[in-house]
Amino acid sequence: MSEILVVAEHRQGQLRPPSLELVGAAHAARRAPSDRIVVALIAQDASQLVPSLSVTGVDEIVTVRSPVAEFEPEIFARAVRGLIEARRPALVLLPHSVDSFGYAAALAAHGGCGFATDIFKIEYDSGGKLIATRGGYGQKVAVEVEFPDKDVIVLAVRAGVFRAPEGSAAPQVTTFETDLGRARTSSVGFIDSSSADDVDMAGVEFILAIGRGVGEQANVERFRELAAAIGATLGCSRPVADAGWLPKSRQIGQSGKTASGCKLYIAMGISGAIQHLAGMKHVATIVAVNSDPGASIFSVAKYGIVGDLFEVAEALEQQFK
Amino acid sequence: MKVLVAVKQVAALDEDFEIRADGRDVEPDFLIRDLNEWDEYSLEEAVRIREAGTAPVEVIVVCVGPEDADEALRKCLAKGADRAVRVWDEALAGSDAIAIARVLAAVARKEAPDLLFAGVQASDHAFAATGVATAALLGWPHAAVVAGLTYTPGAKSAVVRRELEGGTLHEMQIECPAVLTIQLGINAPRYASLRSIKQAAAKPIEVLGLEELGIAAGEVGEAGSAARVRRMYIPDRGRAQMLEGSVEEQAARLAQIIKDATGSAR
């Protein structure tokens, strides 16, 4: 029997969704049905988060009392390292998230453990060795990685791949103490950077999204007209918002909005970086227009057009006159 | 004071490419190399600290890579870096983010910067690990996915804004020296002028080996890595139904798709 340690993520008093997906991942990654799934909850006030983590499959919740309310990278790294040393889990699962970018690699740098990030598949070979799969070269290839001679393997798991368990359970709740040291960063506060606009992209049903392919700011107007003509709301991928051509509130993707209410999504000049896909790949009807036939966006789109954006835009607008 | 900027020469795949005979990587002939996009932003952020002019600041770029990585370093010199360092040894082949971090940490100990910047991730393999692993090896405070920075050269702390999921920013104060991983969009990177490109071509690049940094060959490469590539393959992926024909025919099909999906009678 071995142990799988899952590290829960929370922010402003709320459990973050990847935490429960990791329980699903842990369940799928058990080597034997007797493997225990233990969730580590590193928080100032763990008690309020315990109920939302008491889900099917969790055998134990181990709480570590943090001196601070919000995520602090060194506190998290020391707490998880302490748990690894004390419990020697075979596998440690973290979300591949902004918080984990801040401490996951620190575990691997010191701990001598196996480590890989953005994992979307976990399996075992015939000899019982763990194999994890991630993407490579801008997600154009799949890469299987292995961890020779590592007793403990730390994996940061991609969001939206594994399903969170649905039922509730009554896991054992324990506490763990370790030297968390002194925090050298301190939280000042949270700022919502995307509220300054009239549109909430999460609620929009029909989005015309533009990306780097539009080329320059002067061309954005062309697509604003097209959006108006076809009845869509104009959205964008990261490069367009970063350049300031459209407000941040229009950005679809991991660090922008999720197109939760969207039914039809037309992506023009968007190559389809994984961070963009995270915000839109669930949409029922996706149409991609791109000059590069190899663009990743075509792997999630239902319909595709390989061609010049501006010519397609012009011809499409004609259809609505 | 000094800002050390860790950069990577990334590889993108050509439209058609082949997997190497051992099945563990792509044939190098099919790789198109360039400076990592994230690193353009971290370099720019460092150069802006210097240009603010409140104190003398030296911006040093460091890259772990073979000789052809000089191209990425020259690009950095053209865009405002004062000095470039490249580290290479054949033993570094097969290194993952953790092994690369051992080299960067050794360079940071040698240079003793006040801030070390790295990109949040590299566009090719997107580990999002190298910067923070370097910080851990140095024992320095660190913050990842920094989309805003307020720092006065010589100050004992900086204020950073981490870009969280969903567009929220988390403002934190951090003690220096620190390692920050820099996110796209933190600034608008400059273009290099023709004159600065010419000047950069004439600047020296300091080349270091493992011995000079006190690193044993076994600490890097596959032996010093936390993971080993077992197999690389082209995944079976969903593929959009392509709308063919003239652009007018394509547009007519697309218009019909829009009308069907939106229930519009137009």
Side-chain angles (χ1 to χ4, degrees):
Chain A
M1 187 183 76
S2 59
E3 191 167 292
I4 301 177
L5 184 72
V6 165
V7 183
E9 181 170 304
H10 57 88
R11 184 173 296 152
Q12 295 181 285
Q14 299 288 317
L15 194 69
R16 302 256 316 134
S19 309
L20 294 179
E21 290 179 15
L22 289 182
V23 175
H27 200 77
R30 287 176 310 165
R31 202 185 300 251
S34 59
D35 286 355
R36 295 186 82 234
I37 298 174
V38 179
V39 178
L41 179 53
I42 303 153
Q44 195 170 40
D45 180 10
S47 61
Q48 59 157 349
L49 294 167
V50 163
S52 43
L53 279 168
S54 300
V55 296
T56 305
V58 177
D59 294 295
E60 180 185 340
I61 297 172
V62 54
T63 65
V64 184
R65 191 178 147 73
S66 168
V68 293
E70 296 300 338
F71 170 76
E72 204 290 323
E74 292 189 279
I75 298 281
F76 260 64
R78 290 196 196 98
V80 177
R81 199 175 301 138
L83 284 163
I84 290 173
E85 280 161 15
R87 307 182 73 114
R88 303 303 297 174
L91 185 59
V92 181
L93 300 181
L94 321 173
H96 187 63
S97 64
V98 172
D99 280 1
S100 106
F101 288 5
Y103 76 96
L107 299 174
H110 279 306
C113 42
F115 174 65
T117 59
D118 200 16
I119 298 303
F120 54 81
K121 189 177 178 189
I122 304 167
E123 61 195 327
Y124 296 91
D125 72 4
S126 55
K129 282 197 305 180
L130 188 142
I131 299 161
T133 308
R134 63 192 312 284
Y137 294 115
Q139 307 297 321
K140 288 192 173 166
V141 298
V143 186
E144 287 180 354
V145 292
E146 59 191 0
F147 310 91
D149 310 317
K150 304 291 187 191
D151 300 330
V152 179
I153 297 167
V154 178
L155 300 179
V157 177
R158 183 180 290 181
V161 174
F162 293 93
R163 205 193 301 215
E166 277 167 14
S168 60
Q172 177 191 5
V173 180
T174 59
T175 57
F176 176 75
E177 280 180 32
T178 188
D179 181 13
L180 296 176
R182 188 177 67 87
R184 292 184 289 178
T185 74
S186 55
S187 179
V188 178
F190 293 89
I191 305 141
D192 185 356
S193 66
S194 63
S195 56
D197 193 23
D198 50 337
V199 188
D200 178 13
M201 295 305 285
V204 170
E205 290 191 5
F206 178 16
I207 296 171
L208 171 69
I210 54 174
R212 207 191 291 266
V214 301
E216 54 184 289
Q217 185 165 19
N219 294 334
V220 173
E221 203 46 41
R222 173 74 201 83
F223 292 90
R224 204 190 303 275
E225 281 168 24
L226 176 64
I230 65 177
T233 301
L234 191 63
C236 63
S237 64
R238 169 153 213 139
V240 173
D242 276 351
W245 300 348
L246 282 176
K248 190 86 180 163
S249 54
R250 300 281 177 139
Q251 184 186 324
I252 306 296
Q254 210 159 54
S255 52
K257 297 292 177 191
T258 299
S260 316
C262 186
K263 298 190 171 81
L264 174 60
Y265 193 95
I266 302 181
M268 300 190 85
I270 293 177
S271 62
I274 190 88
Q275 293 85 356
H276 183 72
L277 302 186
M280 49 66 77
K281 66 170 191 270
H282 60 276
V283 176
T285 306
I286 298 168
V287 185
V289 182
N290 204 293
S291 57
D292 172 15
S296 301
I297 192 82
F298 290 121
S299 69
V300 299
K302 190 168 178 184
Y303 302 103
I305 295 176
V306 176
D308 179 83
L309 294 188
F310 299 92
E311 286 178 19
V312 174
E314 186 58 40
L316 182 60
E317 198 169 330
Q318 287 299 323
Q319 294 284 328
F320 285 80
K321 276 194 173 149
Chain B
M1 57 102 37
K2 286 182 185 178
V3 182
L4 183 62
V5 182
V7 303
K8 181 178 182 184
Q9 193 187 38
V10 293
L13 295 180
D14 219 336
E15 203 169 299
D16 292 306
F17 62 91
E18 287 169 20
I19 301 287
R20 212 166 62 187
D22 70 355
R24 295 179 59 215
D25 206 339
V26 168
E27 275 289 349
D29 292 354
F30 299 96
L31 300 176
I32 304 156
R33 299 187 190 273
D34 199 358
L35 177 64
N36 179 33
E37 190 184 355
W38 275 261
D39 303 343
E40 305 242 7
Y41 292 82
S42 45
L43 172 65
E44 178 69 29
E45 199 63 19
V47 172
R48 286 181 187 203
I49 291 172
R50 186 186 65 209
E51 288 176 347
T54 55
V57 174
E58 187 182 28
V59 176
I60 306 143
V61 284
V62 55
C63 179
V64 179
E67 200 176 347
D68 64 1
D70 280 353
E71 205 181 317
L73 287 171
R74 297 234 178 262
K75 195 169 180 181
C76 295
L77 288 168
K79 290 187 179 209
D82 296 300
R83 195 148 63 75
V85 179
R86 183 171 62 80
V87 183
W88 189 243
D89 186 293
E90 287 306 320
L92 282 158
S95 293
D96 72 354
I98 304 300
I100 297 294
R102 280 190 245 284
V103 178
L104 295 176
V107 173
R109 281 187 204 103
K110 185 167 174 281
E111 296 284 353
D114 300 82
L115 285 174
L116 195 167
F117 293 163
V120 165
Q121 61 184 37
S123 58
D124 49 6
H125 293 299
F127 296 119
T130 313
V132 167
T134 306
L137 294 167
L138 291 166
W140 288 8
H142 47 92
V145 198
V146 172
L149 169 65
T150 312
Y151 174 72
T152 312
K156 289 190 164 61
S157 70
V159 174
V160 299
R161 288 180 170 188
R162 290 196 301 137
E163 183 191 72
L164 306 176
E165 292 84 357
T168 306
L169 297 171
H170 185 202
E171 192 166 283
M172 302 176 104
Q173 188 160 25
I174 185 166
E175 294 176 14
C176 299
V179 176
L180 307 180
T181 77
I182 304 293
Q183 175 64 308
L184 302 174
I186 186 172
N187 52 43
R190 72 195 64 197
Y191 292 96
S193 68
L194 218 52
R195 186 163 156 264
S196 63
I197 291 169
K198 272 189 192 159
Q199 286 169 342
K203 281 190 184 172
I205 290 173
E206 184 184 357
V207 181
L208 298 175
L210 291 177
E211 218 164 280
E212 290 143 289
L213 293 170
I215 297 170
E219 293 178 75
V220 295
E222 284 188 354
S225 292
R228 176 185 180 276
V229 174
R230 181 177 186 268
R231 182 167 82 103
M232 205 177 271
Y233 62 96
I234 301 163
D236 283 330
R237 292 202 298 193
R239 183 78 187 154
Q241 180 191 334
M242 292 298 172
L243 309 182
E244 309 288 351
S246 69
V247 68
E248 287 74 24
E249 288 163 341
Q250 290 172 322
R253 285 283 315 276
L254 181 48
Q256 192 57 49
I257 290 164
I258 293 169
K259 285 165 189 167
D260 291 348
T262 58
S264 148
R266 281 173 295 187

